[in-house]
Structure formats: C-alpha cells, structure tokens
Amino acid sequence: MAPPQGQMRPGRQLAVLGLIFVVLYLLVFFSGGASGGWKDRLEPRLGLDLVGGTRLTLEATNSVDGQAQAPTNENLEEARRIIESRVNAFGVAEAEVVTEGDRNIVISLPGENRDLTEVGSAAELRFRKVLKVADGSGAAAAPAPSPTATPSGSASPAPSGSATPSPSSSVKATPSPSGGQGGGAPAPSASATPSATPSAAAPSPSGSAQPVAADVQEQRKAVEQKVGAAAWAAASGLQAPADLTTDPSLGEKLKPFASLSPREVAVLPAQMQFNVPQITCAQLDARPPASISTPDQQVVSCEDGALKYLLDQAKVLGTDVDDASAVLDQTNQWVVSLDFTGPGQEKWTNLTREAFNNEGQACDATALGDTGKCRVAVVLDNDVVSSPEIQGVLTGNSQITGNFTQRDASELAGQLRYGALPLTFEAAESQNVTATLGASHLRAGLLAAGIGMLLVIIYSFFYYRLLGSVIFLSLVLSALLVFGALVVLGRQIGFTLTLAGIAGMIVSLGVAADSFVIYFERLKDEIQEGRSPRSAVSRAWVRARRTIISANAITIMSAVVLYIVSVGAVKGFAFALGLATVLDLVVVFLFRHPIMTMFARTRAFLSPRVSGLGRVLPARTEQAKTRNPRVKEA
C-alpha cells in the first residue's frame, strides 16, 4: 500500500546520502591522481601557508609619457599565462599564479623554496653583433699612480689603467648547423679573445641618433644637472673609452657618473654608457627590465659583470625563434636548442654572414675573436648570455651552450619558448615560508576548527539534549563531505587549502548552527500550538525550510561574489565558505529532516528530559488538560 500523499520515506533520503558518500570516497581513493598508500590518498592539496614554500609579488612598471599607467586587463592576463607556463616549465607542481589588483601578479609555490624572480623577466631575446669591448669592472676608472713617484732604481712602468678584456668561457653560445645544412662551414668557436687595447677608430653610428622620447629627454636633463655641466660635456665629447692614464684630470671630471643609480644610467646614450669608465657593469646589470629592448638602436650590455659591450642593432629577435628546448649535446652537456621560423632563419643567416665577413669593418679589434671574425651576442633582456665568434655562414638552427645545469637550461628554454611578456615587472615582495612555520599554521587552523566544532556540540547537547545528537551527527557528516570534496577538487581543478580556506569552513559552522536553531525553535512553536510531536516535526520542517534555504542562499551568493571580485587568500576563503555551505544544505535535506522524522516515532522523543524539548511538552499537556479534563498526563 502506498504511503499517504506528503508522507516521506526517510530511508530513501538516507540511502541517497549514503550513495553520495560511496561515490565521493571512491573518487578519493581511486580517481586519477590518487597514488601512494591509503594515508597519502587522503591528503588534500595544501597551500603555501600550510606546507611552506615561496611567494613572489610582481608589479607591472609600465609607463606612458613618464607617468605610471595601469596595464590593460588583456595584457595582465597574457602576462599571467606566460609566467604560469614558465613556472610549470621548471618541472614543479602545484604552483599558483594569480593577478592581484590592476598591476600585480602573485606567484605561490607550495612546498619548495626557490628564486622565482627570473620568471618575471621580459625574456626579450635579441641577437646583436659585438661592435666594441671595454673593461666594465671599474678598474679603468682608477688608474695606478704614476711610476715617477716610486723611488726605485728600475723604472718599471705602472700597469695601464685600460684593462685587457677577455670574454668569459664559463658561458658560451655555439651556433651550429642543424641537419647538415651548414654548407661545409666550420663550427664557430666560443673562445674569442679580443685585442689588448681598445681601438680608437671612428665609432659606429650611435644609437642615440634615433628619436628620443620626451620623457627620456627629461630624465637625461635631470641626470645632466646631477653630474654637472663639466662632467656631461666631457662625457659627450668622448669618441672611445676614456684612457685616464694619459689624462688623469678627465677621471675627476667623469667621477660624478659613478654615483648614478641604475635607473639613471639606463636613460644615457649608448655611446656615453660605453665610453665613460666610471659607468660599470654593476650599474648596467641593475638597470630596470627592458632597458635595452628597442631593437633598432645600439645598446650597451655586460657579460659576466666585467666586460662591457657596445652592441649593434638587433637583426634577429626572439619572435624569430620558433621553439626552444633544453637537450643534452654529444658531450653530455646541457644546451638550449633554437629552431627558427622561416623568415627568422633567413635573418639569422644574413646576420652570421655580416659577422663572418665583418661587413663595413663594423666590429673593431677589441670585438674580434681568435680568427679575426666578429662575435654575435645572445642578449636576454638586459644581459649578454653568451657572445661566440662566428666562423661560418650558418643556414641551419643553433644552440646556446655553456655550463648549464638542467634547471638553468630548462629555465632559459622556457623563457624563450613561451615568449616575451607584454609588460615589464619588478619584484615588489618576495617571501619564503619554511615548512616548520607552515606546519605550525596548519596545527593552529585545525585547532581553531576543532574548538569551534566542540563549542557548538557542547552547546547543542546542553540546550537540546537528544536533539543535540542530530546536530553532532550532521556536523560530522558535513565535515566528511567537505574533506572528501577538498581532496577530489585538489586533484581535478587544483584547489589548494590555505589558512583562509580553513577560516571559511569555521565560519560555515556558524551557518550550520543557525539552520539547527531555526528548525528546532520552529518545532517548539508547533508543539506549543497544540500539535503532537510527530506531526510537529513535518510541519516545522515545511515552515523552517524556506528560511533555511534563504539564509544559506544569501551566504552562498556572498561567497560567489567575494570569489569573483577577490584575489589570493580571500578567494580561497570564499570558495571554502561556499563549498561548506552547499554541502551543509545537502546534509540538511538528506539527513537532518529524515533522521528527525525517525526520532519522532520513538518514545524518547516524547520525554521532556531526553528529547531536549524541555518545558514545551509539559506546557502542551497542561493546555490539553484545560481543553479536556479527561486527558491524562503523558
């Protein structure tokens, strides 16, 4: 016989809840990504503040007409995507890259402390001929005293203040024909040794002949005022690196340039950066990102912090590279293999032809290698990665080789493969969280959650007695659902539990407690109005259900809005709060109501001392006596 209309079958709802638990924990233990022992499969994905790691905040530094401007949302999102690809190329897992505000990108790498500043570099690759080489260590700016001041019988000349630059052999680039397309040309050498003294030949056309932006002109004027008119005039008149041994007074005139900041050095003309010995590689290497990114101007850059290069216009760009990968060469050394696009390959061939033939004698004696051929510098952002001598016209692809570790080669290949960032960034904040501190945070969060749940349970048993067991079981079931969901979501969508997420779950305990209070107080009202406990359970549920749904819906909507408009940890708080609230509604409908229906059929539910209804049942009995004197006490 079918049950009366409107009569519920609590067994069915409890069976549905049981089915949900079975499916959820099958996913926990056997879904994709589940590995290790049973304990390992039960571990959720924890955030940086719980397991330690690295957090880096990058701030976009773009400006228009000298004024800082917020980047567009499209550029910021493109930069975030490229940076995320670079971080993932390191071979690490569980990295989180998010935008924050209108100009920041936050990188979080849980469980690992490492330097992430390079992932925010512009990664603008340029291939430029080396036109001149000079000392950039600063030794040339402080010539030795005159030998006449030494009372020695032998007139040994003092060392020259002009140091002999020699390229470092620790990192080198070896363009090599790919697939036998070298046309028989010998492999280029990386052991370039420039001449002993800088050439005094007429300089190549300066990149400063190009139009200069108005904001750069203003900054140059400010630098001119800082160093003084005499220093500026002396630096502007230099046609080659200053030799202070022949004119010691020139060193005093140029001395103010040593006090310039890297940002101030960056706005100087390329010839001035190269010719003034007081401008060192330490200043040049610290220039803001993308200071030499303009491809159609000559620039100055350093290699290994000691050699200062005057570089030609960029004839081959990073956009001409089709792919880059870290591979092992025939000598079992890590190299970065470059594959050019069709037009890029033609540009690369033309550049190697210019360098091999030293067309127009553009490279002076200081920039030539052992065999008298020009060198080509591989320039990444502001730095020279390597500068090999070109010993043949190359018609194939190339390799950047050197003392690379696998991590170094993979990092460089990732930067080149995923392209240049549309924005320039500076590291605004870098933080390393130790695993010990993360474990302390985790214990504190779990302790706070445990205390919160314990207080709710104590109050529930004290005030509602038997009904408190319903609250207790509901909270336990909600916690198990939330925990299983966290494990599965961590594997499927990368959700990471942080301290903020634990805080959101603790707040959800209050939301769950509110729904209990609404239902139980509504139940008391129904009994006081003269209904039996069994009928009061169903009527109280119907009347309280709308209020419970409305209250939880408001919480869920608030969590959704907060998740959309917030970033970082706040987003994790909103997600956890919304998830816990949704699962609490599942427990309300599939456990709390059916279990109350089953309790209403027991004798214990009719006992004031056991049920937790307190004085409601005796008051109802007295009302019944008043209406009908023959009614006995329950």
Side-chain angles (χ1 to χ4, degrees):
M1 179 178 178
Q5 186 175 3
Q7 181 178 343
M8 69 168 297
R9 291 181 174 177
R12 288 186 176 180
Q13 291 170 296
L14 293 175
V16 172
L17 181 62
L19 179 62
I20 292 175
F21 267 95
V22 170
V23 173
L24 178 62
Y25 277 87
L26 283 176
L27 293 175
V28 168
F29 288 108
F30 302 107
S31 66
S35 60
W38 298 110
K39 182 179 179 181
D40 296 330
R41 301 186 183 199
L42 284 171
E43 290 183 356
R45 184 176 178 179
L46 300 180
L48 179 145
D49 53 356
L50 298 180
V51 295
T54 304
R55 177 182 284 117
L56 174 67
T57 300
L58 299 173
E59 180 180 4
T61 58
N62 289 54
S63 62
V64 177
D65 295 330
Q67 301 294 324
Q69 299 287 337
T72 63
N73 292 334
E74 292 77 10
N75 283 346
L76 196 63
E77 174 57 26
E78 181 183 357
R80 187 207 65 78
R81 178 184 56 78
I82 294 175
I83 290 175
E84 184 176 40
S85 298
R86 291 181 184 177
V87 174
N88 292 336
F90 288 165
V92 298
E94 303 180 356
E96 179 186 48
V97 182
V98 298
T99 57
E100 183 176 72
D102 60 354
R103 61 170 62 248
N104 292 340
I105 291 180
V106 180
I107 308 167
S108 299
L109 184 59
E112 186 174 352
N113 288 334
R114 66 180 300 166
D115 184 10
L116 295 175
T117 53
E118 289 301 319
V119 301
S121 61
E124 293 177 315
L125 183 68
R126 304 284 188 260
F127 294 87
R128 300 175 182 265
K129 283 190 302 184
V130 180
L131 303 180
K132 295 182 181 181
V133 179
D135 173 52
S137 65
S146 173
T148 58
T150 304
S152 172
S154 62
S156 300
S160 172
S162 120
T164 302
S166 60
S168 169
S169 60
S170 61
V171 181
K172 56 185 182 298
T174 306
S176 58
S178 174
Q181 297 177 354
S189 168
S191 58
T193 304
S195 298
T197 57
S199 171
S204 300
S206 170
S208 62
Q210 297 288 336
V212 180
D215 63 312
V216 175
Q217 291 179 347
E218 291 297 324
Q219 294 175 61
R220 285 183 182 176
K221 290 180 181 178
V223 173
E224 180 179 355
Q225 292 177 356
K226 180 175 180 178
V227 300
W232 188 266
S236 300
L238 294 174
Q239 299 299 315
D243 186 356
L244 304 185
T245 58
T246 60
D247 186 3
S249 64
L250 185 58
E252 288 297 321
K253 292 180 182 179
L254 299 176
K255 190 175 181 179
F257 284 92
S259 63
L260 295 181
S261 68
R263 196 176 290 273
E264 292 169 332
V265 168
V267 302
L268 298 178
Q271 288 288 338
M272 188 175 293
Q273 294 179 24
F274 181 74
N275 291 333
V276 176
Q278 282 77 5
I279 297 177
T280 65
C281 285
Q283 294 166 297
L284 294 169
D285 289 342
R287 287 173 295 181
S291 292
I292 59 173
S293 61
T294 305
D296 58 354
Q297 294 186 11
Q298 292 180 7
V299 298
V300 176
S301 186
C302 290
E303 184 173 14
D304 294 335
L307 296 177
K308 189 161 57 171
Y309 294 163
L310 178 63
L311 304 175
D312 196 11
Q313 299 177 2
K315 303 296 180 65
V316 181
L317 309 180
T319 53
D320 296 319
V321 176
D322 182 53
D323 192 17
S325 57
V327 297
L328 287 170
D329 65 3
Q330 296 177 349
T331 62
N332 207 35
Q333 297 293 319
W334 283 102
V335 300
V336 177
S337 177
L338 300 178
D339 296 329
F340 291 98
T341 63
Q345 183 61 64
E346 182 180 356
K347 294 179 184 178
W348 174 244
T349 300
N350 293 335
L351 177 60
T352 57
R353 180 181 294 111
E354 288 182 23
F356 179 70
N357 297 324
N358 195 9
E359 296 179 1
Q361 300 299 305
C363 308
D364 76 355
T366 63
L368 299 179
D370 286 339
T371 59
K373 305 301 181 183
C374 288
R375 295 152 58 198
V376 172
V378 182
V379 185
L380 184 66
D381 298 332
N382 294 342
D383 303 319
V384 175
V385 176
S386 52
S387 55
E389 180 184 6
I390 301 300
Q391 293 188 346
V393 179
L394 304 179
T395 59
N397 297 326
S398 300
Q399 290 179 341
I400 301 177
T401 67
N403 294 330
F404 290 130
T405 64
Q406 181 180 6
R407 173 180 292 185
D408 294 336
S410 298
E411 180 178 338
L412 178 57
Q415 289 176 322
L416 302 181
R417 181 167 61 252
Y418 296 112
L421 297 177
L423 306 170
T424 57
F425 291 91
E426 288 185 350
E429 180 184 5
S430 182
Q431 178 186 15
N432 285 333
V433 180
T434 65
T436 302
L437 183 59
S440 175
H441 288 171
L442 179 58
R443 287 193 298 269
L446 295 178
L447 179 62
I451 292 175
M453 180 174 286
L454 181 62
L455 290 176
V456 171
I457 292 172
I458 291 175
Y459 176 81
S460 301
F461 278 108
F462 174 77
Y463 193 75
Y464 292 113
R465 299 183 185 179
L466 178 64
L467 299 182
S469 63
V470 178
I471 300 176
F472 172 74
L473 292 174
S474 297
L475 291 178
V476 170
L477 293 176
S478 293
L480 292 175
L481 282 177
V482 170
F483 179 79
L486 289 177
V487 175
V488 174
L489 292 176
R491 295 173 187 162
Q492 302 301 323
I493 67 172
F495 175 74
T496 302
L497 179 62
T498 62
L499 275 176
I502 293 178
M505 295 175 190
I506 295 175
V507 172
S508 71
L509 291 177
V511 178
D514 286 342
S515 63
F516 283 112
V517 172
I518 292 171
Y519 181 34
F520 291 160
E521 294 303 317
R522 184 71 258 175
L523 177 62
K524 290 182 179 181
D525 292 341
E526 292 293 332
I527 294 175
Q528 283 181 339
E529 290 176 4
R531 292 178 179 83
S532 66
R534 184 174 299 181
S535 63
V537 165
S538 58
R539 290 184 60 87
W541 167 249
V542 172
R543 301 182 66 177
R545 179 176 55 195
R546 181 178 300 176
T547 305
I548 294 173
I549 293 175
S550 299
N552 282 272
I554 292 174
T555 302
I556 293 171
M557 286 189 293
S558 301
V560 170
V561 172
L562 190 61
Y563 182 85
I564 293 174
V565 303
S566 63
V567 295
V570 180
K571 190 182 288 286
F573 169 86
F575 187 92
L577 176 61
L579 175 66
T581 305
V582 169
L583 295 180
D584 176 65
L585 276 176
V586 172
V587 173
V588 166
F589 279 85
L590 298 182
F591 176 77
R592 191 178 309 166
H593 181 211
I595 204 69
M596 284 295 296
T597 302
M598 296 175 67
F599 276 0
R601 300 171 183 174
T602 64
R603 290 186 177 182
F605 189 76
L606 301 178
S607 172
R609 294 181 179 180
V610 178
S611 67
L613 297 177
R615 299 176 181 177
V616 178
L617 288 175
R620 174 184 174 275
T621 304
E622 292 297 330
Q623 292 175 2
K625 283 183 179 181
T626 303
R627 289 194 299 268
N628 187 355
R630 288 180 291 182
V631 175
K632 297 182 180 180
E633 292 186 10

